[in-house]
Amino acid sequence: RGDMGIFGKKKPPAAAPPPPAAMRANPGSPRVDSPRVDDTRPSPGATPKGEHDTSDGSRSDSSSASSSSDSDAEGSDAPAPPTYAGTPCTMRLAIGVDGGGTGTTCVVVGDDDDEHLGRCELRDRSANANSVGFESALRAVLDAVDGALDDALSGTRWKKEDVTLGVDDATAGKRALAVVCAGIDGDADARRLRNAIVARAPGLARRLVVDNDAAGALASGTGGAMRGIALVA
């Protein structure tokens, strides 16, 4: 619009034309100057409203500076893990979690794929965040992992914290965790759950997969080939 300036402000009104000579004050009367139009302009160093100076001298809009990204919001879901001062477990462990709408199951497998070391079934604990909320779903997954690790490590010198929290170079490549849950319907859902698990169980972060529970059914039915169609009724 013609009455708007470059920063979205209305332009100041144009200066009134000088009065005709006949209407000017008498020569003997004191002269009164009307204010100049450019007196209302911002000073050369002023910053327009809604903007702020950056360190390199450029300007940025305050609305964009105050916005936060989705990844920042996701990080708020996960508190810092508890302090760990033990010895990380060096056993080779593969951990799988199947989180459904009515229950959550975790199985721990050792070096031999047929060697089931531990198992935990939470029959009344849903891991579907759409049904029970994100925090309850996350807690069901972590509780199932803890229970299966307690079972798997029984009789050894290790504790579950030596797996979920303990991590060093000696453990690299020796742990894997796959979590498949109902209600994970896209990358954003998977990323949110993955970030929360990593924050609470950093020892399982290096090889961690999070997906919809249909992916678990397909992997199981195809021997890991992941080619075909999975039907969940």
Side-chain angles (χ1 to χ4, degrees), residues 19-156:
M23 298 179 62
R24 290 178 182 171
N26 293 331
S29 61
R31 179 180 176 182
V32 178
D33 293 330
S34 59
R36 297 175 57 191
V37 174
D38 55 1
D39 288 343
T40 62
R41 296 176 184 173
S43 59
T47 301
K49 184 178 180 181
E51 297 188 359
H52 63 275
D53 290 326
T54 58
S55 58
D56 60 356
S58 62
R59 291 171 178 169
S60 62
D61 189 88
S62 60
S63 61
S64 63
S66 62
S67 63
S68 61
S69 65
D70 290 340
S71 59
D72 292 338
E74 288 161 8
S76 63
D77 291 324
T83 302
Y84 174 74
T87 302
C89 176
T90 56
M91 295 174 62
R92 289 186 177 275
L93 300 172
I95 307 167
V97 178
D98 181 6
T102 58
T104 303
T105 300
C106 179
V107 174
V108 179
V109 178
D111 283 341
D112 186 345
D113 288 345
D114 295 327
E115 183 186 6
H116 286 205
L117 300 179
R119 184 182 184 91
C120 178
E121 293 187 38
L122 304 178
R123 298 181 183 276
D124 58 347
R125 299 280 300 281
S126 170
N128 186 338
N130 295 334
S131 301
V132 299
F134 178 79
E135 192 62 32
S136 292
L138 171 63
R139 193 68 259 167
V141 169
L142 295 176
D143 286 350
V145 170
D146 284 349
L149 286 173
D150 277 338
D151 188 26
L153 300 174
S154 177
T156 72

Side-chain angles (χ1 to χ4, degrees), residues 75 107 111 114 133 138 146-147 157 160-161 185 208 230 232:
V107 174
D111 283 341
D114 295 327
L138 171 63
D146 284 349
R157 65 188 182 95
K160 61 177 176 287
E161 292 81 9
D185 298 322
L208 171 59
V232 180

Side-chain angles (χ1 to χ4, degrees), residues 176-214:
L177 171 62
V179 178
V180 294
C181 291
I184 296 180
D185 298 322
D187 291 342
D189 292 339
R191 183 170 59 250
R192 185 185 185 192
L193 181 56
R194 187 187 192 284
N195 289 345
I197 292 173
V198 168
R200 287 172 167 86
L204 300 173
R206 290 185 175 178
R207 301 177 69 182
L208 171 59
V209 175
V210 177
D211 209 331
N212 183 270
D213 59 346

